[in-house]
Amino acid sequence: MPNREDFLATLRERGYRITPQRELIINAISPTSSHFTAEVIFDQVHQHTKAVNIATIYRTLDLLVEEGLISRSDFGQGQTVYATEVHGPHLHLVCRLCGQVTAADAAHAQPLADSLQQAQKFSLDLNHITVFGTCANCRKGENDHAL
């Protein structure tokens, strides 16, 4: 599990300065084993200082994504979530009707990844994928209304 020191050491090795703002943001991220948003990190950082704005949070999260230290997923409707690698490879199944998000094993996408690799020579990253559709509850509701 990446901890605070792992994040900081990796950034230093890659030539990045560790500013006090970056350190506060990494302190807020490193113990997290689930999804988080920039706004949640902003609230946590603001418990320690008001000197960090939301733009700094987003820039730091973007840097961490670019460096492969965290992943980013778009759940639609302006909802972007992040996760550390400890969260593991998985799919997000997002219902377009009710917005429910369900996690599923990334292995379900392996046949698609294999097919794309063979047909398009495209290597699919299965670490953090978002798939949109309709959940079972909403499909059941649609079927009830069709009667």
Side-chain angles (χ1 to χ4, degrees):
M1 173 162 130
N3 63 32
R4 172 188 181 284
E5 294 307 319
D6 295 334
F7 280 111
L8 297 174
T10 300
L11 290 176
R12 280 188 190 104
E13 288 169 9
R14 296 178 184 174
Y16 293 101
R17 285 185 24 231
I18 305 302
T19 63
Q21 295 87 348
R22 281 184 181 158
E23 192 163 3
L24 284 168
I25 294 164
I26 288 168
N27 287 345
I29 291 170
S30 58
T32 304
S33 62
S34 63
H35 296 101
F36 54 90
T37 65
E39 292 75 18
V40 166
I41 299 303
F42 179 75
D43 291 343
Q44 289 178 10
V45 168
H46 263 226
Q47 292 175 10
H48 301 282
T49 180
K50 304 291 186 216
V52 178
N53 62 33
I54 192 71
T56 301
I57 304 287
Y58 276 110
R59 279 194 303 273
T60 301
L61 293 175
D62 287 345
L63 170 67
L64 296 173
V65 168
E66 288 170 21
E67 292 300 321
L69 298 172
I70 64 173
S71 60
R72 171 179 40 222
S73 291
D74 180 356
F75 284 3
Q77 300 174 345
Q79 184 183 16
T80 301
V81 296
Y82 301 84
T84 63
E85 66 184 39
V86 73
H87 200 60
H90 61 285
L91 305 173
H92 297 115
L93 308 177
V94 180
C95 181
R96 288 195 186 275
L97 298 177
C98 70
Q100 175 182 316
V101 179
T102 306
D105 191 326
H108 293 295
Q110 192 61 54
L112 174 62
D114 294 343
S115 175
L116 287 172
Q117 176 61 42
Q118 185 174 13
Q120 304 291 324
K121 305 297 184 240
F122 184 83
S123 179
L124 188 61
D125 177 358
L126 296 178
N127 284 326
H128 214 216
I129 298 174
T130 303
V131 179
F132 295 90
T134 308
C135 72
N137 286 337
C138 289
R139 276 198 330 275
K140 181 183 179 309
E142 287 176 346
N143 291 337
D144 291 346
H145 291 9
L147 298 177

